[in-house]
C-alpha cells in the first residue's frame, strides 16, 4: 500500500511540475467586455520628462532639486508637434484598440489645466501643469487625443500616478530610491489625498476615460500609514469606491493599491505570468528599455519578439499594453513608428486570431508556439515551422469542420485524428516568418479532450 502511495505522490508531483495547469475560466464583468475583447492597446508616456529625454524617472535618478527640474525641464516642455490624429492612426494601423496616456506621472506635472490649487510649482506661485507652467499655450493634448480616439473607434484611457514628486506634501529621498516619496505630515497626507481625488474628478468629468490606470502606489501597506509607507489598502478601497460612484462603467486597474486583489484587473509590469491568473489581467511592455522618451535608448525589441509576446499573453488570457514615448516636441521616434507599422502588417492578416479570443483550451503549451481560441475556432500560432511538414496537437472534444492556414483560407489542409492527436499536414515553408497561424474551424468553443 505504502509503495502505491509513494508512486501516486511521485506521479502527481511530476504532473504538477511539468505542466502549467490552467485554472478554471472566470466570469467577465459586463463593464470589462470591450476591454477583454480588445486584447491589444497602446500606452503613451508623455510628460515634461519627455523634453529632457532621459526617461520618466530622470528627476529621481539624476538627483534633481524640485526647483531646478521645474525650471530647466518642465517649463521648457513645448510639444508643438504633437499630432493626436497621427498617433491614433499609428495605434489603429498597428491593430491596437485602446490608448492609455499619462495624465500625471510621478514627476507631478499635470498634462491638463487642473484647477486643484495645491498642484503648484515649488514657489507656490504657478500652477504646475502644461497649460500654466509652459509657453505651449491653450491646446489640450489630452482632449485632442480623446477626440481623435473617438473618431477612430479607439477607447481613450488615462494613467495617473498616486505618488507625486512635485507636490508640496511629499519629499523625495534620492539616495534610497525605494522610498519613492514620503509624506511630510499626517495632515499633508489627508490634504493630498483629498486633492488627488479632486483631480481625478476633474479628469473623469472632462475626459470620461474608459480606463483609469493607476501607478505610483509603491508606498503602500496593508495597515496604518507611516511617512514612508503612506498609502494604505484602505486608501485604495476608498479611492476605488469613490471613482466607481463617479463613473460606474469606468475600468480601474489593481494599482489603486496593488496585491490586495483590488480594482478590476491585475497588471504585472514588463512580465508575462507563467499561467493565466484567476481574474483578468494586462501586462504593459516597453518597445525599447524606457517608458518616457530616452534619447540614448535605441535598444528596441524586435517586431518578432513583440508579436510573439502579444500572442503568449493572449494565450494565457491577458491583454497587452505596448508603450510609446513621444519626444518633447510631440513627435514619435522613427524606430517606434517603424515597429508599430510592422506589427500592423502582421495584425492585418492575423488580428482576428487575437481580438475577442480567450486562453488556450489545453493544459500544456507546446515549445513551438501557442494556442488561442474563440467560438468556432482554434488558432494555432506557430513560431517555429516544423521541418517534418507535420504539426501534432492534442485532440478536441469538438467536431472539426476544416483546417487551413489563416493566410490562405481557401485551401484546406489534410489531417488525421488518432490516439488523442491531431496531425496536420503543412506546406514546406511558413507563410509568415514571425508567426504563422493554422486555424481549426470547429463546432462551438474549442475544448480539450482531456
Ligand atoms: O510608468 C512606468 C514606470 O515609470 C512606472 N510604471 C511603468 C508603467 C514605475 N514606477 N516605478 N516603477 C515602475 C518601479 C520602480 C523601479 C525602480 Fe528604478 C528601480 C526605481 C528605481 C530603481 C527603474 C530603474 C526606474 C528607475 C530606475
Amino acid at each position: 500500500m505504502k509503495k502505491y502511495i509513494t508512486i501516486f505522490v511521485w506521479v502527481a508531483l511530476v504532473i504538477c511540475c511539468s505542466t502549467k495547469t490552467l485554472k478554471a475560466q472566470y466570469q467577465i464583468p459586463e463593464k470589462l467586455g470591450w476591454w477583454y475583447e480588445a486584447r491589444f492597446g497602446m500606452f503613451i508616456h508623455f510628460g515634461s520628462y519627455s523634453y529632457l529625454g532621459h526617461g520618466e524617472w530622470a528627476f529621481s535618478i539624476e538627483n534633481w532639486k524640485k526647483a531646478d527640474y521645474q525650471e530647466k525641464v518642465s517649463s521648457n516642455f513645448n510639444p508643438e508637434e504633437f499630432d493626436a490624429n497621427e498617433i491614433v492612426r499609428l495605434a489603429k494601423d498597428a491593430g491596437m484598440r485602446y490608448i492609455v496616456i499619462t495624465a500625471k506621472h510621478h514627476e507631478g506635472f499635470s498634462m491638463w489645466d487642473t484647477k486643484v490649487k495645491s498642484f503648484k510649482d515649488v514657489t507656490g506661485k504657478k500652477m504646475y501643469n502644461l497649460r500654466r507652467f509652459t509657453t505651449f499655450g491653450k491646446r489640450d493634448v489630452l482632449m485632442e487625443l480623446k477626440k481623435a480616439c473617438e473618431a477612430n473607434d479607439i477607447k481613450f484611457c488615462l494613467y495617473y500616478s498616486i505618488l507625486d514628486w512635485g507636490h508640496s506634501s511629499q519629499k523625495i529621498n534620492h539616495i534610497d530610491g525605494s522610498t519613492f516619496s514620503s509624506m511630510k505630515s499626517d495632515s499633508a497626507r489627508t490634504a493630498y489625498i483629498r486633492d488627488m481625488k479632486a483631480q481625478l474628478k476633474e479628469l473623469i468629468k472632462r475626459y470620461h476615460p474608459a480606463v483609469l490606470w493607476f501607478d505610483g502606489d509603491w508606498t503602500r501597506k496593508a495597515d496604518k500609514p507611516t511617512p514612508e509607507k503612506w498609502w494604505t489598502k484602505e486608501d485604495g478601497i476608498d479611492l476605488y469606491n469613490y471613482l466607481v460612484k463617479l463613473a460606474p462603467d469606468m475600468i480601474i486597474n489593481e494599482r489603486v493599491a496593488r496585491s490586495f486583489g483590488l480594482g478590476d484587473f491585475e497588471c504585472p509590469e514588463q512580465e508575462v505570468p507563467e499561467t493565466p491568473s484567476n481574474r483578468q489581467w494586462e501586462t504593459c511592455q516597453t518597445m525599447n528599455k524606457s517608458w518616457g522618451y530616452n534619447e540614448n535608448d535605441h535598444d528596441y525589441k524586435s517586431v518578432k519578439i513583440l508579436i510573439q509576446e502579444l500572442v503568449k499573453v493572449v494565450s494565457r488570457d491577458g491583454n497587452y499594453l505596448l508603450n510609446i514615448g513621444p519626444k518633447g516636441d510631440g513627435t514619435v521616434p522613427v524606430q517606434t513608428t517603424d515597429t508599430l507599422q510592422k506589427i500592423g502588417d502582421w495584425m492585418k492578416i492575423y488580428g482576428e486570431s487575437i481580438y475577442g479570443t480567450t486562453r488556450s483550451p489545453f493544459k500544456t503549451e507546446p515549445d513551438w508556439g501557442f494556442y488561442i481560441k474563440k467560438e468556432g475556432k482554434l488558432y494555432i500560432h506557430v513560431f517555429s515551422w516544423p521541418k517534418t511538414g507535420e504539426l501534432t496537437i492534442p485532440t478536441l472534444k469538438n467536431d472539426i469542420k476544416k483546417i487551413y492556414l489563416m493566410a490562405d483560407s481557401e485551401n484546406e489542409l489534410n489531417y488525421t485524428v488518432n490516439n488523442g492527436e491531431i496531425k496536420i499536414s503543412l506546406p514546406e515553408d511558413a507563410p509568415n516568418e514571425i508567426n504563422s497561424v493554422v486555424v481549426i474551424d470547429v463546432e462551438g468553443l474549442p475544448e480539450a479532450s482531456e
Side-chain angles (χ1 to χ4, degrees):
M1 186 63 191
K2 228 176 167 183
K3 193 172 135 202
Y4 286 116
I5 293 175
T6 317
I7 292 173
F8 176 78
V9 169
W10 253 108
V11 170
L13 266 177
V14 168
I15 291 173
C16 285
C17 298
S18 62
T19 62
K20 293 164 190 161
T21 317
L22 306 185
K23 292 180 195 142
Q25 277 278 11
Y26 32 73
Q27 285 291 316
I28 305 300
E30 208 180 307
K31 76 170 185 180
L32 268 89
W34 71 265
W35 179 88
Y36 186 65
E37 285 192 8
R39 288 305 191 196
F40 189 27
M42 175 187 272
F43 213 169
I44 306 180
H45 274 69
F46 196 41
S48 79
Y49 46 81
S50 311
Y51 166 76
L52 186 63
H54 300 172
E56 79 291 352
W57 264 80
F59 170 81
S60 167
I61 296 170
E62 296 173 3
N63 291 339
W64 284 85
K65 295 225 164 32
K66 281 192 190 188
D68 285 346
Y69 184 85
Q70 294 179 357
E71 185 201 323
K72 298 198 173 105
V73 179
S74 306
S75 75
N76 290 314
F77 179 44
N78 190 10
E80 274 183 315
E81 307 290 324
F82 181 83
D83 183 343
N85 288 314
E86 173 62 8
I87 290 180
V88 170
R89 188 191 64 75
L90 284 171
K92 190 159 185 153
D93 284 355
M96 294 154 155
R97 296 252 163 121
Y98 58 108
I99 295 183
V100 184
I101 185 168
T102 45
K104 187 194 81 173
H105 203 272
H106 306 348
E107 67 175 358
F109 180 85
S110 301
M111 291 291 282
W112 77 106
D113 189 8
T114 179
K115 301 286 186 258
V116 184
K117 290 200 167 53
S118 70
F119 291 89
K120 289 208 164 68
D121 72 343
V122 77
T123 68
K125 292 199 181 109
K126 266 183 161 179
M127 291 299 287
Y128 187 45
N129 64 56
L130 181 56
R131 171 75 180 87
R132 307 286 161 186
F133 200 69
T134 73
T135 57
F136 180 57
K138 285 194 173 151
R139 283 175 59 188
D140 177 347
V141 292
L142 298 186
M143 190 55 83
E144 289 173 13
L145 192 66
K146 176 190 164 58
K147 294 250 163 78
C149 282
E150 275 172 3
N152 287 284
D153 209 15
I154 301 264
K155 296 278 188 182
F156 175 77
C157 316
L158 291 172
Y159 165 110
Y160 187 91
S161 170
I162 292 173
L163 76 84
D164 187 319
W165 293 326
H167 199 269
S168 59
S169 58
Q170 291 155 66
K171 53 179 192 237
I172 320 305
N173 181 351
H174 281 305
I175 294 136
D176 176 7
S178 66
T179 58
F180 295 99
S181 81
S182 50
M183 271 295 160
K184 287 184 181 161
S185 67
D186 207 38
S187 57
R189 187 187 103 91
T190 310
Y192 173 69
I193 293 174
R194 180 198 63 210
D195 291 352
M196 185 176 86
K197 283 175 162 174
Q199 274 209 325
L200 292 164
K201 192 175 191 173
E202 275 185 346
L203 287 174
I204 290 170
K205 299 280 174 218
R206 193 164 168 142
Y207 304 104
H208 303 283
V211 177
L212 207 46
W213 208 106
F214 284 98
D215 197 7
D217 61 335
W218 308 99
T219 63
R220 73 191 177 279
K221 71 199 289 267
D223 50 4
K224 279 193 157 168
T226 63
E228 270 73 38
K229 296 273 177 190
W230 54 267
W231 183 252
T232 67
K233 177 183 173 188
E234 203 169 316
D235 293 328
I237 295 171
D238 174 65
L239 182 60
Y240 181 86
N241 293 339
Y242 170 77
L243 296 166
V244 165
K245 266 206 197 113
L246 289 173
D249 290 337
M250 187 174 70
I251 299 170
I252 301 161
N253 70 345
E254 68 167 336
R255 298 189 184 186
V256 284
R258 207 171 322 180
S259 63
F260 297 124
L262 305 180
D264 300 317
F265 65 92
E266 285 170 11
C267 38
E269 185 161 320
Q270 289 184 298
E271 190 189 321
V272 184
E274 282 298 302
T275 59
S277 183
N278 50 18
R279 63 172 173 152
Q280 300 75 241
W281 62 275
E282 168 196 75
T283 190
C284 48
Q285 183 58 281
T286 52
M287 245 182 226
N288 48 8
K289 293 203 157 106
S290 317
W291 298 98
Y293 175 60
N294 186 337
E295 63 190 358
N296 293 316
D297 181 358
H298 300 286
D299 195 2
Y300 275 71
K301 297 176 183 83
S302 69
V303 174
K304 183 173 182 161
I305 285 191
L306 295 171
I307 289 175
Q308 295 190 346
E309 190 162 71
L310 163 70
V311 168
K312 185 204 268 191
V313 164
V314 175
S315 86
R316 295 180 187 168
D317 226 11
N319 278 20
Y320 195 56
L321 189 63
L322 184 60
N323 182 69
I324 72 166
K327 298 180 184 179
D329 65 2
T331 58
V332 180
V334 64
Q335 294 104 317
T336 304
T337 54
D338 205 44
T339 303
L340 286 171
Q341 192 224 310
K342 288 183 181 137
I343 292 175
D345 292 343
W346 185 87
M347 284 294 282
K348 273 175 200 89
I349 306 168
Y350 296 105
E352 281 312 310
S353 69
I354 301 291
Y355 306 126
T357 60
T358 63
R359 68 173 67 157
S360 165
F362 300 116
K363 284 207 177 95
T364 53
E365 292 172 342
D367 51 15
W368 42 257
F370 290 94
Y371 305 108
I372 297 179
K373 70 178 187 309
K374 75 174 160 202
E375 187 68 21
K377 300 205 186 287
L378 178 75
Y379 296 107
I380 311 167
H381 289 255
V382 188
F383 296 171
S384 342
W385 200 249
K387 294 198 175 65
T388 56
E390 194 172 66
L391 191 68
T392 305
I393 72 156
T395 48
L396 296 163
K397 282 186 183 159
N398 318 60
D399 285 341
I400 296 175
K401 291 185 186 161
K402 58 174 180 167
I403 306 186
Y404 52 95
L405 297 172
M406 200 164 173
D408 177 16
S409 55
E410 296 299 306
N411 292 306
E412 293 189 26
L413 300 173
N414 291 324
Y415 65 94
T416 58
V417 183
N418 248 324
N419 296 330
E421 287 179 337
I422 307 173
K423 287 189 187 294
I424 306 165
S425 303
L426 297 180
E428 204 174 311
D429 296 321
N432 188 287
E433 56 184 23
I434 291 175
N435 171 16
S436 307
V437 182
V438 177
V439 191
I440 306 189
D441 277 5
V442 294
E443 214 45 78
L445 187 67
E447 208 183 324
S449 298
E450 260 312 289

